[in-house]
Amino acid sequence: RIEISKKAMISNLNFFKDKTDKWVIPVLKSNAYGHGIYQVTEILDSQQDIPYIAVDSYFEALKVRSVSTIPVLILGSIEHSNFSKMKLSNFAITVGDEQTISALAVSGRRNIKVHLEINTGLNRYGTEIDEAIKLARLIKNSKNLELDGIMSHLACSDDESTKNIDLAVDLFDKVVESVWALGLDPRLIHIAQTAGSVRAKSKYANSIRLGIGLYGINPLSFNSSGANLSQKLKPALRMTA
């Protein structure tokens, strides 16, 4: 028997809200880290001030929507030919290349919210720094797209040193300033996941993506300012037999 503790999960959520003083975007990819996407969504549905639930795919997004009306941010890539067939109301799409933005612009769907992802060192997703403003301008000039967020993903958030975190944050903040200079005003600005949430010192970030920490697991194993998370977080899953 696997048991999920609503009390523990809400305690973890509120801890990060209080600790960071930012909006928290719970991440439910990979079946909510094995905790059950339906069950975790039901738990979160009772909470206030959750701007998005983040998932990897449209398939996962539909599962969340079947349980809750909380907006959903899709982090993973989507086949462009599917955009015209998808229901995108109350969803947001992560974009990081010209092809995806252009495909959304001609999809026939209205009022599509997008989050522009910047590559600050992870080198997995997102646009390069020197291409970011070009893409932001393309979003601005697309009548059916709204830049609702700007984001990145820290590559070294659990390193003992914060050197690489600080370099990534500095790059990210400069891109945010350039996007503002275009006259765009994204509502959500997020660079940090669980480990980075207590270590990244962005001047502009107003939200975090809470993955493993939501479920009560501390990703930091060394003696640092964030390592005492273990004393605060409560594991949300247990198996009994």
Side-chain angles (χ1 to χ4, degrees):
R1 175 182 172 87
I2 292 177
E3 299 175 350
I4 308 298
S5 171
K6 176 179 180 179
K7 182 178 180 181
M9 197 168 293
I10 297 306
S11 174
N12 297 331
L13 179 72
N14 289 333
F15 168 76
F16 280 96
K17 281 183 180 180
D18 295 339
K19 182 77 172 178
T20 65
D21 194 28
K22 292 179 172 62
W23 278 318
V24 174
I25 301 171
V27 180
L28 273 61
K29 62 183 181 181
S30 300
N31 196 28
Y33 289 66
H35 291 68
I37 193 168
Y38 295 114
Q39 291 84 351
V40 175
T41 299
E42 288 178 350
I43 290 172
L44 296 174
D45 194 52
S46 64
Q47 301 305 296
Q48 303 295 319
D49 299 325
I50 294 179
Y52 281 104
I53 286 175
V55 298
D56 183 62
S57 66
Y58 184 62
F59 180 67
E60 290 177 330
L62 292 178
K63 288 185 175 181
V64 171
R65 179 58 65 246
S66 71
V67 178
S68 172
T69 59
I70 295 174
V72 181
L73 172 62
I74 301 173
L75 299 173
S77 59
I78 298 172
E79 178 64 40
H80 296 169
S81 61
N82 288 333
F83 288 142
S84 62
K85 309 178 186 77
M86 294 165 57
K87 297 179 180 180
L88 296 177
S89 177
N90 224 20
F91 290 165
I93 306 295
T94 301
V95 298
D97 59 80
E98 183 174 350
Q99 292 78 13
T100 300
I101 295 170
S102 297
L104 284 168
V106 298
S107 66
R109 295 295 187 237
R110 298 180 180 179
N111 304 321
I112 304 172
K113 289 181 168 60
V114 297
H115 285 224
L116 178 62
E117 183 165 11
I118 312 301
N119 177 24
T120 54
L122 185 62
N123 299 322
R124 185 190 302 164
Y125 298 115
T127 182
E128 300 303 318
I129 298 295
D130 56 358
E131 289 288 312
I133 302 309
K134 175 184 176 182
L135 297 188
R137 188 175 287 112
L138 185 61
I139 294 169
K140 180 181 180 180
N141 292 335
S142 300
K143 294 181 180 179
N144 63 331
L145 302 185
E146 175 189 345
L147 185 63
D148 186 57
I150 183 168
M151 61 178 286
S152 186
H153 194 292
L154 293 170
C156 306
S157 61
D158 57 355
D159 281 0
E160 187 166 354
S161 168
T162 62
K163 179 181 178 181
N164 288 323
I165 295 175
D166 296 338
L167 290 172
V169 167
D170 184 59
L171 290 173
F172 181 72
D173 283 353
K174 288 178 180 177
V175 173
V176 172
E177 291 172 352
S178 297
V179 168
W180 281 340
L182 291 177
L184 292 166
D185 188 20
R187 179 174 64 101
L188 298 173
I189 300 171
H190 46 112
I191 185 174
Q193 66 280 68
T194 298
S197 67
V198 294
R199 310 182 76 210
K201 307 300 180 184
S202 169
K203 293 182 289 186
Y204 308 122
N206 61 10
S207 45
I208 65 166
R209 297 183 306 276
L210 185 61
I212 200 71
L214 177 66
Y215 309 100
I217 299 173
N218 177 16
L220 301 173
S221 59
F222 51 84
N223 184 20
S224 76
S225 60
N228 63 1
L229 290 178
S230 294
Q231 302 169 16
K232 304 292 184 180
L233 301 182
K234 300 177 180 180
L237 180 150
R238 75 173 183 171
M239 185 170 68
T240 62

